[in-house]
Amino acid sequence: MYLYAFVSFGLSLIMLLFGVFSLKKVQHQSQVLFATIPLILCIQQFCEGVLWLALPLSNLHLLQKSTVFFHLNFTQVVWPLYIPIAILFLEKHKIRKIILGILVGIGLVVSCFLAHCLCNYSVHAKIYESTILYIQPYPEQFRLLGSILYGTATIVPCFISHIKQMRVLGLMIFFSYCIGMFFYQNYLISVWCFFTIPISYSVWLILKNAALMNAKDAAVLPITI
């Protein structure tokens, strides 16, 4: 278990670096939420590292429970709302802003529903087949619709944005969901962490390109007094 914890902490460190590099590329207050995505992924992954260490020890039940709750709060409650809001703040076009506002509303519904489930159902985790299995006895009738709305809130905004490079981030998230669902369906939340590095890299790349474009635009502006 120590090896898997080490991997989780290692991934957390890599995303911390991406977060720092992303924040250094910020040139406007509207970019801060988007640039913080790797840092949130860093905290999320750090939680799973702690969980790897706590799960084998039965006397750490409280730590296990709180860490599971904290980790799932990020994966299920934060992201459906955070991603569309972060992209909305970057948007300049009025029509696209309206569409992104609708997606924020969808994300809010998903976040509220999953927060309700997280607080009212007995959620826990265990180590199974060298992976952390999160047991979430949520209502089955809402699983398919919930998954569709979750994907809509977290993927579609990337393709609505006027920033062309944002499509790369959308494709990263889309493929991570697809691979996780088809090959690791029961372990999606845990396995998805391995896709956080390319996602964090995409965030940094988008901000880097935005900074280069702004610098290029500033270079061709006429000098005025």
Side-chain angles (χ1 to χ4, degrees), residues 40-220:
I40 299 177
L41 289 171
C42 165
I43 299 171
Q44 177 182 315
Q45 195 55 43
F46 186 85
C47 286
E48 190 156 81
V50 174
L51 193 57
W52 273 112
L53 297 176
L55 281 175
L57 305 174
S58 57
N59 59 325
L60 295 179
H61 178 71
L62 182 59
L63 178 61
Q64 295 171 11
K65 187 175 181 179
S66 58
T67 307
V68 168
F69 182 85
F70 199 58
H71 183 269
L72 291 179
N73 185 65
F74 280 114
T75 58
Q76 297 185 342
V77 180
V78 172
W79 292 125
L81 188 58
Y82 192 97
I83 290 178
I85 289 179
I87 296 176
L88 173 62
F89 278 15
L90 299 176
E91 191 52 55
K92 299 177 180 179
H93 300 165
K94 185 176 180 180
I95 300 299
R96 294 177 189 268
K97 278 187 173 183
I98 293 173
I99 299 173
L100 287 169
I102 295 171
L103 292 171
V104 169
I106 293 174
L108 178 61
V109 171
V110 174
S111 293
C112 289
F113 173 73
L114 290 176
H116 166 78
C117 291
L118 195 57
C119 294
N120 291 278
Y121 292 88
S122 180
V123 176
H124 59 284
K126 65 178 182 180
I127 297 175
Y128 182 73
E129 296 182 350
S130 300
T131 311
I132 294 180
L133 176 62
Y134 293 90
I135 294 88
Q136 307 163 83
Y138 298 168
E140 286 291 336
Q141 63 268 32
F142 295 113
R143 283 188 181 272
L144 178 59
L145 178 60
S147 298
I148 294 173
L149 293 179
Y150 188 102
T152 301
T154 53
I155 297 172
V156 175
C158 299
F159 295 94
I160 300 299
S161 173
H162 75 282
I163 303 172
K164 293 182 178 180
Q165 294 84 359
M166 197 70 74
R167 277 71 168 163
V168 176
L169 176 61
L171 288 173
M172 289 290 182
I173 299 174
F174 175 74
F175 285 127
S176 69
Y177 286 169
C178 288
I179 293 172
M181 288 296 293
F182 281 109
F183 297 101
Y184 306 97
Q185 185 173 6
N186 294 328
Y187 314 100
L188 176 60
I189 294 176
S190 183
V191 172
W192 188 76
C193 68
F194 293 104
F195 300 99
T196 55
I197 292 179
I199 289 172
S200 297
Y201 174 77
S202 300
V203 170
W204 171 78
L205 189 64
I206 290 167
L207 290 166
K208 178 187 176 184
N209 290 335
L212 290 174
M213 289 298 294
N214 290 337
K216 182 179 178 181
D217 292 342
V220 300

Side-chain angles (χ1 to χ4, degrees), residues 5-16:
F6 178 78
V7 171
S8 291
F9 291 136
L11 291 172
S12 179
L13 177 60
I14 293 172
M15 284 176 279
L16 174 62

